[in-house]
Amino acid sequence: MKLIMSPASPFVRKVRVLIRETGQQGDIEEVHVATTPVNTADAVWAANPLGKIPALVLDDGRAIHDSRVITRFLDDRAKAGLYPEERLWDVLTLEATADGILEAAVLMVYEGRVRPEEMCYAPWVEAQWNKAMTAVKAVNDRWMGQLGGPLDMAQIAIACALGYLDFRHADRDWRREAPALAAWYAGFEQRPAMAATNPAG
Ligand SMILES: N[C@@H](CCC(=O)N[C@@H](CS)C(=O)NCC(=O)O)C(=O)O
C-alpha cells in the first residue's frame, strides 16, 4: 500500500502514529508530496478527488480517504482494537473533536500562508482559534477519564491535535487553560510512535 502524505500534516500524523502503534510500517510505503489548497499535487488528485492528504492507495489500486476512514481501515486490518466496541461512540466523538480542532488550526495556517496578506481577515482567524480552544477545554474538563484508559484512536487523534497546536500555534499556549490535558499529553508524546512522527523533528 502507499500512503500519500506530508510529515507536516496532522491528519497524516494520525495515520502514521496508528501504523507504528500497530506494527504495519513494513506494509505501507510513504509517498511524500508538497500540496496546498491552491496548488494540489498530481499524486493527491489521483488518490483523492477532494485534493487532500492523507490518502491510502490499496494493493488493488483503489484509494481510500479521509484520515478517519484510513485509521479505521488499518485498525481493522491489524485487528488492533483501537476502536473498541464498548466505547465506540465515545472514541468516535473524541476523534471527531480532535479533527475539528485540527480543521480550525489548519485553516488558521492557510489564512496566513496561502491567502494574500491584504485579504486576511483577523476576526475569522480568531473565531477559528476560539473553536479550537473551546474544544481543547471541553476535552480537559470532560474527557480525561477516556484519555486515561487503554490506548485507543481517540487518544492518538487528540495527541496529534495538541502536537499540531504546539507545532504551528505555540505562541497561543493552549496549556494555560487545559492543565489536566497538558499533563496527560506530556506523557503521551513520549511514546515512540509520537516521537518518530514529530513534525518538528
Ligand atoms: N478531513 C480530512 C482533512 C485533511 C486535510 O485537510 N488535509 C490537509 C493537509 S493537513 C490538506 O490536504 N489540505 C489541502 C487542501 O485543503 O486542499 C482528513 O481527515 O483527512
Side-chain angles (χ1 to χ4, degrees):
M1 293 179 284
K2 289 184 168 55
L3 180 66
I4 314 299
M5 54 84 66
S6 158
S9 163
F11 295 102
V12 166
R13 191 180 186 192
K14 289 168 51 192
V15 175
R16 296 179 81 213
V17 170
L18 178 139
I19 288 170
R20 284 156 181 76
E21 291 285 0
T22 58
Q24 299 185 77
Q25 298 97 305
D27 302 336
I28 299 160
E29 178 192 343
E30 294 189 333
V31 179
H32 290 241
V33 293
T35 196
T36 75
V38 294
N39 192 6
T40 305
D42 290 345
V44 177
W45 279 134
N48 180 349
L50 298 172
K52 296 186 182 194
I53 53 174
L56 182 70
V57 183
L58 307 181
D59 288 337
D60 65 6
R62 276 180 306 146
I64 62 171
H65 64 87
D66 58 7
S67 63
R68 275 187 261 180
V69 175
I70 298 170
T71 52
R72 197 128 178 210
F73 171 83
L74 291 175
D75 175 70
D76 188 60
R77 178 176 187 267
K79 301 283 174 270
L82 295 179
Y83 291 93
E85 199 59 49
E86 65 283 6
R87 290 185 285 122
L88 185 60
W89 304 114
D90 283 344
V91 169
L92 291 177
T93 301
L94 206 43
E95 187 180 15
T97 304
D99 283 3
I101 292 169
L102 285 178
E103 279 157 19
V106 166
L107 284 176
M108 289 169 69
V109 171
Y110 285 152
E111 185 77 3
R113 292 191 170 184
V114 177
R115 209 179 261 273
E117 203 176 330
E118 67 279 9
M119 294 171 77
C120 289
Y121 183 53
W124 186 88
V125 172
E126 293 314 309
Q128 296 305 323
W129 181 249
N130 183 49
K131 278 183 197 295
M133 268 317 292
T134 301
V136 164
K137 282 187 274 184
V139 175
N140 182 79
D141 295 347
R142 300 206 291 271
W143 291 92
M144 293 315 299
Q146 173 82 29
L147 293 180
L151 182 68
D152 61 30
M153 193 55 216
Q155 295 172 16
I156 294 173
I158 290 290
C160 291
L162 299 175
Y164 189 73
L165 297 185
D166 280 346
F167 181 48
R168 294 295 194 209
H169 303 293
D171 52 324
R172 290 180 180 259
D173 191 10
W174 63 267
R175 288 173 176 78
R176 201 175 46 230
E177 294 182 84
L181 190 55
W184 171 83
Y185 180 64
F188 197 91
E189 70 173 336
Q190 305 300 325
R191 295 180 79 91
M194 288 294 291
T197 58
N198 185 345

